[in-house]
Amino acid sequence: QLQLVESGGGLVQPGGSLRLSCAASGFASRSYGIGWFRQAPGKGREGVSAISSRGTSTYVADSVKGRFTISRDNAKNMVYLQMNSLKPEDTAVYYCAAVSSSYTGNSYLRPDIYNYWGQGTQVTVSS
């Protein structure tokens, strides 16, 4: 059974850092593109960052560019999102998702292309 499990969320002060992890099981994640998305209360799901199946290409939303970095370790079936210089507006539930098809460019930041989703982890940025 294909499963994605996020971890690493929590409460952090503005300017702080967190590293989110996405653990894949039940499938070879190296064959899938992985994206990170977030959803704040009352808002739609927003693409944050994504990485191609081999890790050769990454995509980052303008809202987090220069602050968030995505990476993957296919040997461990893990994908990470390093979040630095966090702001209160980064507060949301963060999800990782997997897509089996290949896309180009920022299409990877579209939630509608993804086949599988994790349950999410809460990130709260507050003093």
Side-chain angles (χ1 to χ4, degrees), residues 7-76:
S7 62
L11 173 64
V12 63
Q13 292 186 341
S17 298
L18 282 174
R19 188 175 85 152
L20 304 184
S21 298
C22 175
S25 62
F27 70 109
S29 65
R30 63 180 178 273
S31 299
Y32 289 74
I34 302 292
W36 282 99
F37 296 81
R38 65 187 181 186
Q39 188 163 16
K43 295 188 177 181
R45 195 161 292 190
E46 173 192 14
V48 174
S49 189
I51 188 166
S52 61
S53 59
R54 296 185 179 182
T56 53
S57 298
T58 60
Y59 311 91
V60 183
D62 289 342
S63 58
V64 303
K65 195 165 290 183
R67 301 188 297 122
F68 290 13
T69 304
I70 191 170
S71 62
R72 68 188 300 162
D73 184 339
N74 283 342
K76 296 182 179 179

